Amino acid sequence: MPFTYNRIIHFQDTDAAGVVYFTNILSMCHEAYEASLLAANINLKTFFSNAAVAVPIVHADVDFLRPLYCGDEVQISLQPRLLGDSEFEVEYQVLGERLMAKAVTRHVCIGGDRKRLVLGDELVGWLRLWEGVDNELPSQ
Amino acid sequence: MPFTYNRIIHFQDTDAAGVVYFTNILSMCHEAYEASLLAANINLKTFFSNAAVAVPIVHADVDFLRPLYCGDEVQISLQPRLLGDSEFEVEYQVLGERLMAKAVTRHVCIGGDRKRLVLGDELVGWLRLWEGVDNELPSQ
Amino acid sequence: MPFTYNRIIHFQDTDAAGVVYFTNILSMCHEAYEASLLAANINLKTFFSNAAVAVPIVHADVDFLRPLYCGDEVQISLQPRLLGDSEFEVEYQVLGERLMAKAVTRHVCIGGDRKRLVLGDELVGWLRLWEGVDNELPSQ
Amino acid sequence: MPFTYNRIIHFQDTDAAGVVYFTNILSMCHEAYEASLLAANINLKTFFSNAAVAVPIVHADVDFLRPLYCGDEVQISLQPRLLGDSEFEVEYQVLGERLMAKAVTRHVCIGGDRKRLVLGDELVGWLRLWEGVDNELPSQ
């Protein structure tokens, strides 16, 4: 089941070309990611400023299909996917009238020494909550 | 009757000191202003990119009373006040556990030649909707 | 010959994890792109707000190799590459002590109706200025 | 002697009205403040993420006199002024063709418990370097 996040395009999101500045699409996707963590009862303040364990983004890509304007309503749908013991990616679809943009972020769990760590229970719980059915084991 | 806008502090709002970067308080106040325009049925896309009539901010000030962290919930309460035919200001209170910040923006209505214009009916309607009782004429 | 752009990491670029917020790496790459246009005598105001011809970004991707901190000095090296009559991409390397990040943006030239247009002389001139030698036809 | 900082307006600084988004003027002033600290040999990474001593902004105000466009060159001139043992303010003038904007930020030195601390030698040295002659005691 994907998580969904609703957002109105702010004036600050736009640039002098009259549409959303490209990197702000990724920032909105990150807002959706934060909302999905919050919905899994994860404390954002602790999660994002923990010096001992962090899951920084190591890769992001984004396709811009249609322009977005100030006041536009979008729904961002998000689905995480486990890639390994210490790594996951999140797929985002930004929906307006139609599909406006899609993006992926890849995250790696590291310790204070920046070496890989196995993902903790909290994040695994979050993954289980919002990941797609294709990740689930077939029921016998 | 003031307008109120609810907002969760995003990771992007913060800086390496661990709290909200100072100018982002003003950006959140502007989000509240946009939401109040939308609630008065004003089309944001047209309103903010109209080359013939604009109401740019000519002055802003802000007091930072307490720090805000990622994940904090705030309620921004906003109240506009007419200052003249072509000018108004908006007062904002950013409430968390207590009053976290307060701000003012002053706006002047101008035409494409950047000369002052009298505020249009749409904005006067918005002002009447959210302005304080102290602006109302006493009933006889 | 790649174009290079020097930049110091600002406090605003950082987030509560103490390092540069991920989308700001792409924004810095865009700054480098703007500087390379300016260095080819392209008027940025006209270029970015032209309603008749625009070259919006249709795709971006970025790899984050090492964290960047407030005050860090980076050199962004940039190289455009023609992909077709109406399309080009730009590769960026963000260098600090070592390679900190790399990114790509893909741009398509469109008209006011959002249909593809052939790239104008101005942009072709910019491409010729900064593109790699591998793009040049072999001399006979 | 004021400190001066040169800056070109980036595309990201602008909004759909075609000019610099209002809070970005304050962010540029903060960039100038950071550059003035760096010019006084202050380590920005340590300065801005020190949990034991910080000088957060408690007040800011800004006047927007003329619009700024993508590609515009500005010179920000900055002058700090001591207000007390634990407090200073910084005045900024944003110069383009003419005076485009002016701003003030007020900073208070606090410890980890958020109680006031006397400004350290490093900051006093920075103040002495860039403050105006009107702050100096008359020589006998």
Side-chain angles (χ1 to χ4, degrees), chain A residues 38 42-50, chain B residues 18 68-72, chain C residues 16:
Chain A
L38 206 55
I42 293 179
N43 180 306
L44 297 186
K45 183 185 169 186
T46 313
F47 184 81
F48 284 113
S49 56
N50 188 340
Chain B
L68 284 165
Y69 299 89
C70 186
D72 281 358

Side-chain angles (χ1 to χ4, degrees), chain C residues 61-138:
Chain C
D61 60 74
V62 52
D63 291 292
F64 306 96
L65 308 177
R66 287 171 186 85
L68 285 165
Y69 299 90
C70 185
D72 281 359
E73 292 177 54
V74 293
Q75 183 177 69
I76 302 179
S77 118
L78 160 172
Q79 203 150 24
R81 196 159 63 93
L82 201 60
L83 297 179
D85 273 3
S86 59
E87 198 169 346
F88 62 90
E89 68 177 24
V90 187
E91 285 185 24
Y92 309 86
Q93 295 205 317
V94 182
L95 295 157
E97 292 171 23
R98 298 162 65 188
L99 181 62
M100 311 309 273
K102 51 187 183 168
V104 174
T105 54
R106 193 151 64 239
H107 305 242
V108 170
C109 186
I110 57 170
D113 56 2
R114 303 200 71 84
K115 286 192 182 142
R116 278 178 183 253
L117 287 181
V118 171
L119 291 169
D121 290 346
E122 200 176 52
L123 265 174
V124 172
W126 164 80
L127 271 152
R128 291 289 166 248
L129 204 54
W130 308 122
E131 72 186 344
V133 282
D134 52 324
N135 280 17
E136 290 179 18
L137 293 174

Side-chain angles (χ1 to χ4, degrees), chain A residues 16-17 19 21-23 26-27 30 34 48-49 57-67 69 105-106 114, chain C residues 16-17 19 21-23 26-27 30 34 48-49 57-67 69 105-106 114:
Chain A
V19 300
Y21 180 71
F22 81 118
T23 69
L26 282 174
S27 302
H30 201 275
E34 294 168 40
F48 284 113
S49 56
I57 295 172
V58 294
H59 174 80
D61 60 75
V62 51
D63 291 292
F64 307 96
L65 308 177
R66 288 169 184 85
Y69 299 90
T105 53
R106 194 153 62 239
R114 303 198 73 82
Chain C
V19 299
Y21 180 71
F22 79 118
T23 69
L26 282 174
S27 302
H30 201 276
E34 295 168 39
F48 283 112
S49 57
I57 294 170
V58 295
H59 174 81
D61 60 74
V62 52
D63 291 292
F64 306 96
L65 308 177
R66 287 171 186 85
Y69 299 90
T105 54
R106 193 151 64 239
R114 303 200 71 84

Side-chain angles (χ1 to χ4, degrees), chain B residues 59-85:
Chain B
H59 175 81
D61 60 75
V62 51
D63 290 293
F64 307 96
L65 308 177
R66 287 170 186 84
L68 284 165
Y69 299 89
C70 186
D72 281 358
E73 293 178 54
V74 293
Q75 183 178 70
I76 302 179
S77 120
L78 158 173
Q79 204 149 23
R81 198 159 62 93
L82 200 61
L83 297 179
D85 273 4

Side-chain angles (χ1 to χ4, degrees), chain D residues 102-121:
Chain D
K102 51 186 184 168
V104 174
T105 53
R106 195 153 60 239
H107 306 241
V108 170
C109 187
I110 57 170
D113 54 2
R114 301 198 74 82
K115 287 193 182 140
R116 280 180 183 248
L117 286 182
V118 172
L119 292 169
D121 289 347

